[in-house]
Amino acid sequence: MILSAGLGSRMEKAGESLPKPLVRVLGKPLIYYPLQLLKEAGFKEVVINLYHRAEEIRNFLGEEFMGIKIHFLIEPRLLGTGGGIKNAQKFFPAQRWLTLNADTIIELNLKKLISYHQKHNPLATMVVSQSRTNSFTPIYLSRKNQVLAIGKKPKTPRHTIKTAYCGVQILEENFLKYLPEAPSSLIEQGYLPALGSQEKILGYLFSGFWIPVDDLKAKLQAEAELKNRTGE
């Protein structure tokens, strides 16, 4: 599932005319990048939730894009990061969810992530990085990559790894029981209660390239970094 229902207000206020998932980064719509990851991993279908300027995005992508069949879920109201997944479960019941943020570019091997999750069998796996930690809510891991706390550093153990969430996760079906039947935040109504119940949540420590594109400054930075990486 690609989470694409955000308002993109910072982009639009800065003069961007396209809805956020269609904003061009090196000539490609932003949503191209998570779709490319799914294609590389062999996925044939994807659920995309929409709210703001939904028809423009749906008309652009069509029923199939890059060889991937698309199932659109248009939210009548903004359901949030948690509510969007909870709503998708009603229409497409699944034992496990892989979700990607539409506005994050990341050079991640999804097959390796899925293998990691299957091997360790947690309730959820969050892709995290030790870069950009000052820009996002910190996620603290143990030496064994278990998520200990989100937001506030735990008092014990003494050694923790400070990370940031990279916008990709795997959730088991049972994780969704923590989310209410209402708009919700995945962190506040999902992860924090699950951690409070001593659920096993792991961080998949990622050291590669990633960048969230949430405003025009970030877009320009992403283009500069991608050009540098590709040598264009």
Side-chain angles (χ1 to χ4, degrees), residues 66-198:
M66 297 171 61
I68 301 176
K69 184 178 180 180
I70 299 176
H71 304 280
F72 292 104
L73 278 179
I74 298 180
E75 300 176 0
R77 55 175 175 161
L78 196 57
L79 296 176
T81 51
I85 302 170
K86 183 88 168 185
N87 183 56
Q89 177 71 5
K90 297 177 184 176
F91 293 92
F92 304 98
Q95 294 180 341
R96 180 178 295 146
W97 285 91
L98 165 67
T99 79
L100 305 90
N101 289 352
D103 62 358
T104 299
I105 299 173
I106 181 170
E107 295 179 353
L108 175 68
N109 186 317
L110 292 180
K111 288 185 177 180
K112 289 183 178 180
L113 168 64
I114 293 167
S115 294
Y116 176 87
H117 181 86
Q118 291 174 332
K119 177 181 177 181
H120 296 285
N121 196 34
L123 185 69
T125 298
M126 310 174 76
V127 177
V128 295
S129 171
Q130 289 181 270
S131 67
R132 308 185 194 278
T133 55
N134 292 329
S135 302
F136 300 95
T137 301
I139 297 170
Y140 294 96
L141 307 184
S142 71
R143 292 179 185 269
K144 295 183 178 180
N145 290 343
Q146 186 156 342
V147 176
L148 301 173
I150 299 176
K152 187 176 180 180
K153 185 176 181 179
K155 295 181 179 179
T156 56
R158 182 174 297 180
H159 177 81
T160 58
I161 305 169
K162 183 181 180 181
T163 67
Y165 175 55
C166 299
V168 183
Q169 64 191 340
I170 298 177
L171 306 174
E172 292 296 316
E173 180 183 10
N174 284 338
F175 180 93
L176 303 186
K177 71 183 181 182
Y178 288 100
L179 299 171
E181 297 288 345
S184 64
S185 160
L186 198 60
I187 296 293
E188 294 179 5
Q189 280 82 39
Y191 280 109
L192 292 180
L195 288 172
S197 297
Q198 305 300 310

